[in-house]
Amino acid sequence: MTARTAIFPAFLAAFSLSLSAEEAAPSSAGTVFFETKIRPVLVAQCYECHSQNAEKIGGKLLLDSRQGVVKGGESGPALLAGKPEESLLIQALRWEHDLEMPPEEPLSPLVIQDFVQWIQMGAPDPRTGKMKELSGKKYEDGALWSFQPVQNPTPPAVKNKDWARDPIDQFTLARMNEVSLEPTRDAPPGMLLRRLFFDLIGLPPTKTDLQLFLAERIIHGDDAAVQIRVDRLLDSPQFGERWGRYWLDVARYAESNGNDGLSRNPSFPHAWRYRDYVIDAFNEDTPYDRFLREQIAGDLLAANTDEERDRNLIATGFLALGAKPAKAMNNNFAMDVVADQIDAIGSGVLGLSVACARCHDHKFDPIPTRDYYALAGFFTSSETMWGLAGNEKLTAPPTDLHVLKTPARVTPYPGWAETVLVIESNTGIPKPIPKPRWKPGTPLAMGIRDKKEPADCKINLKGDASKLGDDVPRGFLTAYGDSKPVTISKGSSGRLELAQWLTDPEHPHTPRVIVNRIWQHLFGRGIVNTPDDFGVYGERPTHPDLLDHLATRFVEDGWSIKRLIRSIVLSRTYQLSSLDGKSSIQSDPDNIWLSRHTRRRLDAEALRDSILSVGGHLSLERPQGSIIRHRDILINLAGESLHQLSRYRSVYLCYLRNSPPPELAAFDLPGFLKVSGKRETSTIPGQALYLYNNPFVIEQAANLSQRVQLSSSETKERIRNAYRLTLTREPDPEELYRAAELLEQITAATSNETKAWNGVCQALLTANEFRYID
């Protein structure tokens, strides 16, 4: 080891906390700071080696309780409360004096500054040191908060009773007051309307929309006008396209297998049916409990019509869409497919990393290996069907598809090609095989069905399917305290019973996880900021009572996603301005306490759709299926030809693993290989270069320019219309002057007025105000 890395363990051994004996309990502000800034870093960066459940405790130092921090390690104090510059902890975080913490790479300067501020505050730490044992592991008191039953807390009393419009506001205002914050002013009408449009349907409002909204405020009053507009947006077919896209990220939706490298990426020509099912479910406000049951056990649900039967079968695509592995773990492809399905349920529905228990008991969460294989039995008793991709000899045995009785809104397409291509197993050369076990034009869907002889699963010792242990009866996670055996219908996989357990109204995770996802999409940050991880490694909720209030309300309202969204966007908290509140920006830069609205960048789909919309070229029709709906092929052989220019909404583009839509690729698309409940948001030069140079943006700027030039013969009015179309507002006098000046400069340089207007319009499309939601 280098001198720096050799010294690091010695530093960790020395890490302890010097506190005065008379220190009082931390203040509310101190508790808030620790819970939101310090604890998440300790959990993510330190607990693996410095917690009660670590395989080997480094330097005899425990950081998962206040008592452990105070006691320190083997070599004496390294943190002096109130004196960050004298604390070895800060030196190590800064990688100074041959100290490195964490050893892999330094934390960001902003995180290090949080630790400096924490020590300046006296290093407040609300952890009591009380430990609870569960599944053979010890946990700090409160670490397993998400496993506790959902409560129905009474909305807290607040001083400014008139400010709150909804119980939601009482919860948020009470938390603001605890940290000496006050809410900023309400958002002005134009800002609020634009926010509602993007959040509910993912499209910008038009000039007419704004004029109508302003008129309705005069006629009906402010609150009633907002309610009218919200209800119209919720009833719009574009709502399902916006909110369905969020769920498709959770469902790791894609139209090819990927995960095999560029040499082998077989298409999923029927995946689009699941996409359309999700969009329809959100538009129809299918109750979330029903929505989950259809996706986990739709093939086992009773159906009154052929259409309902087909819908249920298509829904099970949720369990078939995962990327099938190129190289199976321990040469067991089937168990890798099961691992993906367990992760879809664990991370996607429960917010728990259950899949970590495949090889050994979960290191941190109370999920033993037996629980993993109890869940695995539901899926080893089922047959996953994804079509001709299953004929790849290097990966999987042949699989089938659901045969539908209805065309699912799509006219039957012409017959498939006479052959499809697979990889020859021993030479790696593409080889044609006959097309399949149906007639051309037969409606087909990916999905899952029960095997003829379902059975329990054996433990795979250390994850190795060739080394089998005991049979594990099919069942649920034991951490919830219910040890009763699960009764499974004879001859059934048990997936229906699994779906019923997940959607039990009293389940502590399922409603909390989905309401947190909804909150995150509306505010830019979840109440739990790790939406796919509600376990020990995940962040604690910033507003735990509000989370439980929303979960309770959601279940009592029939698991209605639309009703919950309506309640949230009609709250005073949601309708705050994002531009005021200088004091809150200084004291709460991440807007954890919601005293203002957070400015958010448009995601990739909303940005593309907005550019098409203001250019007047967006089609709001649903396309027929997908560009690959009749192509069972290896994607790399088709090249980029599958990504064709389209006027449809971005949700209908061709989403291929390893080859995302080029119009979206620069703006933080997930890889679609795993559950993704929260996309990264980066700001990199490639995004600006895309907006300046991409032919798609240039073409749509020209389309916008044409609209603007046709709208008036007068220059200033054209500029006003350009602002109305792109930013849904009037330009101020300075903006009007600058736009006219730019127009003159480009015209003088190019002797082409049309190019000048194109440039002005493209400048508006690249503006931050166009790309962000206030």
Side-chain angles (χ1 to χ4, degrees):
M1 294 191 296
T2 65
R4 293 169 68 90
T5 56
I7 289 173
F8 175 66
F11 165 75
L12 281 181
F15 179 35
S16 63
L17 179 61
S18 175
L19 292 174
S20 59
E22 66 271 14
E23 183 191 21
S27 65
S28 175
T31 297
V32 166
F33 192 89
F34 178 83
E35 293 289 2
T36 58
K37 301 288 188 179
I38 304 304
R39 186 202 293 267
V41 180
L42 293 176
V43 169
Q45 302 291 342
C46 308
Y47 277 18
E48 185 171 359
C49 299
H50 300 281
S51 66
Q52 292 278 350
N53 297 319
E55 292 183 4
K56 183 179 180 181
I57 299 175
K60 298 183 180 179
L61 173 66
L62 293 173
L63 301 180
D64 57 346
S65 68
R66 180 177 178 275
Q67 182 181 7
V69 174
V70 171
K71 182 179 179 182
E74 294 176 332
S75 305
L79 188 152
L80 298 176
K83 300 179 180 180
E85 298 304 320
E86 299 178 28
S87 298
L88 289 178
L89 169 62
I90 299 303
Q91 296 174 23
L93 292 178
R94 290 172 175 166
W95 280 34
E96 296 175 346
H97 309 302
D98 290 331
L99 301 175
E100 297 180 352
M101 178 179 179
E104 293 82 10
E105 60 179 337
L107 301 176
S108 74
L110 291 176
V111 173
I112 296 173
Q113 184 57 37
D114 288 338
F115 275 83
V116 170
Q117 185 176 346
W118 176 56
I119 296 173
Q120 288 173 337
M121 297 167 67
D125 187 342
R127 297 175 294 178
T128 63
K130 297 178 181 177
M131 305 297 289
K132 180 180 180 181
E133 186 164 319
L134 186 62
S135 299
K137 297 182 182 293
K138 292 182 178 179
Y139 294 95
E140 171 202 345
D141 189 33
L144 300 179
W145 66 271
S146 66
F147 288 84
Q148 305 306 312
V150 176
Q151 305 298 317
N152 187 13
T154 301
V158 291
K159 295 179 181 178
N160 189 356
K161 298 179 181 179
D162 294 336
W163 184 83
R165 295 188 184 127
D166 186 278
I168 292 170
D169 300 320
Q170 294 174 252
F171 286 103
T172 59
L173 184 59
R175 290 296 265 169
M176 289 182 225
N177 294 161
E178 285 180 15
V179 293
S180 302
L181 286 173
E182 294 292 334
T184 189
R185 67 185 180 95
D186 294 343
M191 177 189 291
L192 178 59
L193 185 70
R194 193 167 185 268
R195 182 186 303 167
L196 288 169
F197 264 72
F198 275 115
D199 280 352
L200 298 186
I201 65 171
L203 294 171
T206 65
K207 177 180 68 173
T208 302
D209 290 322
L210 178 59
Q211 292 171 339
L212 180 60
F213 182 58
L214 295 175
E216 288 172 338
R217 290 171 70 94
I218 295 172
I219 298 170
H220 303 291
D222 292 351
D223 292 347
V226 174
Q227 291 178 23
I228 291 169
R229 178 56 57 180
V230 167
D231 289 338
R232 286 176 183 161
L233 292 172
L234 290 172
D235 287 340
S236 165
Q238 282 71 59
F239 170 82
E241 293 167 339
R242 176 60 163 168
W243 283 82
R245 178 64 258 180
Y246 293 141
W247 182 258
L248 293 175
D249 278 9
V250 174
R252 71 256 185 265
Y253 169 79
E255 296 182 81
S256 72
N257 186 61
N259 207 25
D260 288 359
L262 292 179
S263 63
R264 296 192 325 195
N265 190 7
S267 63
F268 291 165
H270 309 288
W272 62 270
R273 293 191 189 274
Y274 175 79
R275 174 201 69 195
D276 288 1
Y277 156 80
V278 169
I279 292 170
D280 290 341
F282 275 88
N283 275 332
E284 295 162 7
D285 200 21
T286 301
Y288 183 66
D289 58 341
R290 173 75 189 189
F291 183 58
L292 289 180
R293 288 196 294 271
E294 290 174 352
Q295 293 177 87
I296 297 167
D299 58 310
L300 304 175
L301 296 176
N304 296 319
T305 64
D306 287 346
E307 288 79 7
E308 185 179 3
R309 168 196 174 272
D310 287 354
R311 170 192 169 95
N312 292 343
L313 295 181
I314 292 168
T316 65
F318 174 70
L319 295 171
L321 284 165
K324 313 305 181 290
K327 185 176 181 181
M329 178 175 170
N330 296 314
N331 296 315
N332 194 297
F333 180 89
M335 290 307 294
D336 277 9
V337 174
V338 168
D340 168 74
Q341 293 165 335
I342 289 178
D343 190 56
I345 299 296
S347 297
V349 179
L350 296 174
L352 294 173
S353 54
V354 180
C356 293
R358 180 178 179 180
C359 301
H360 49 71
D361 291 350
H362 199 295
K363 287 186 176 181
F364 300 102
D365 293 337
I367 304 172
T369 300
R370 290 187 65 86
D371 281 11
Y372 177 91
Y373 288 97
L375 289 177
F378 296 122
F379 303 109
T380 57
S381 295
S382 305
E383 184 178 11
T384 305
M385 304 179 291
W386 63 93
L388 290 182
N391 278 311
E392 277 200 279
K393 294 183 180 180
L394 290 181
T395 56
T399 55
D400 209 336
L401 291 155
H402 285 310
V403 178
L404 308 179
K405 295 184 178 180
T406 62
R409 293 190 180 180
V410 178
T411 56
Y413 44 78
W416 292 356
E418 288 303 315
T419 61
V420 293
L421 291 173
V422 297
I423 296 290
E424 180 65 54
S425 59
N426 54 356
T427 66
I429 299 174
K431 176 185 177 182
I433 62 170
K435 69 176 183 180
R437 287 167 269 314
W438 50 77
K439 296 179 181 179
T442 301
L444 303 167
M446 302 171 70
I448 195 169
R449 65 186 174 197
D450 278 4
K451 289 183 176 177
K452 293 181 179 179
E453 297 182 0
D456 294 331
C457 185
K458 293 181 182 293
I459 292 178
N460 294 187
L461 300 178
K462 295 185 178 181
D464 190 341
S466 67
K467 299 177 181 179
L468 300 179
D470 297 336
D471 279 324
V472 181
R474 280 163 280 172
F476 314 135
L477 300 184
T478 57
Y480 299 103
D482 187 359
S483 58
K484 297 178 182 178
V486 178
T487 302
I488 297 174
S489 302
K490 186 176 181 180
S492 169
S493 65
R495 280 183 290 111
L496 183 56
E497 287 79 5
L498 173 63
Q500 291 168 339
W501 173 72
L502 289 169
T503 56
D504 187 308
E506 297 184 1
H507 199 292
H509 275 109
T510 305
R512 280 179 175 140
V513 168
I514 187 59
V515 301
N516 185 68
R517 294 193 190 282
I518 291 168
W519 186 272
Q520 172 189 278
H521 293 312
L522 294 172
F523 286 90
R525 178 189 177 99
I527 297 173
V528 177
N529 202 34
T530 49
D532 302 331
D533 188 356
F534 276 43
V536 173
Y537 250 28
E539 293 192 21
R540 301 290 181 88
T542 55
H543 299 71
D545 288 345
L546 173 59
L547 182 65
D548 276 14
H549 167 77
L550 293 173
T552 302
R553 187 168 174 172
F554 179 62
V555 173
E556 290 179 348
D557 281 347
W559 302 76
S560 167
I561 287 177
K562 281 191 177 182
R563 292 187 68 176
L564 180 63
I565 291 173
R566 186 180 190 275
S567 298
I568 293 174
V569 300
L570 292 180
S571 71
R572 192 76 176 266
T573 305
Y574 174 85
Q575 295 183 25
L576 291 176
S577 173
S578 65
L579 300 182
D580 288 348
K582 292 182 180 179
S583 61
S584 73
I585 291 175
Q586 294 175 352
S587 59
D588 183 19
D590 295 328
N591 197 25
I592 292 170
W593 308 117
L594 303 169
S595 61
R596 63 186 188 278
H597 204 83
T598 300
R599 195 178 210 207
R600 293 166 282 144
R601 198 196 73 195
L602 293 177
D603 59 29
E605 289 88 349
L607 179 59
R608 174 188 173 275
D609 291 351
S610 298
I611 293 173
L612 277 172
S613 179
V614 300
H617 277 236
L618 178 67
S619 172
L620 295 180
E621 296 180 357
R622 173 182 285 181
Q624 292 189 350
S626 167
I627 190 66
I628 65 168
R629 69 181 184 268
H630 59 288
R631 302 182 186 181
D632 263 292
I633 53 177
L634 292 174
I635 301 301
N636 67 299
L637 300 180
E640 293 296 317
S641 63
L642 289 176
H643 294 301
Q644 298 183 2
L645 295 177
S646 170
R647 294 179 58 185
Y648 296 113
R649 292 203 67 178
S650 297
V651 70
Y652 298 116
L653 293 177
C654 190
Y655 286 79
L656 305 173
R657 293 184 173 109
N658 300 330
S659 180
E663 303 102 310
L664 309 180
F667 295 94
D668 303 306
L669 284 183
F672 310 116
L673 294 174
K674 60 181 181 179
V675 172
S676 180
K678 182 180 180 181
R679 292 186 180 182
E680 297 294 327
T681 304
S682 65
T683 304
I684 56 176
Q687 295 168 355
L689 291 173
Y690 171 88
L691 293 170
Y692 281 117
N693 300 322
N694 190 274
F696 166 75
V697 179
I698 294 171
E699 179 186 7
Q700 296 310 314
N703 292 334
L704 172 60
S705 169
Q706 186 177 27
R707 292 185 73 187
V708 167
Q709 292 178 76
L710 292 173
S711 68
S712 174
S713 59
E714 199 268 320
T715 298
K716 289 187 177 179
E717 185 60 20
R718 286 179 174 180
I719 295 173
R720 292 188 185 97
N721 281 330
Y723 270 80
R724 291 163 186 157
L725 286 169
T726 56
L727 306 180
T728 327
R729 67 171 178 85
E730 298 290 324
D732 62 33
E734 177 69 12
E735 290 171 324
L736 195 61
Y737 171 78
R738 293 295 183 190
E741 184 180 47
L742 176 62
L743 186 67
E744 290 178 2
Q745 291 174 348
I746 300 177
T747 301
T750 64
S751 301
N752 188 319
E753 186 179 3
T754 297
K755 284 187 176 180
W757 280 108
N758 292 356
V760 169
C761 289
Q762 188 173 359
L764 287 170
L765 295 182
T766 64
N768 277 352
E769 188 176 348
F770 181 78
R771 294 184 288 132
Y772 283 77
I773 314 171
D774 279 316

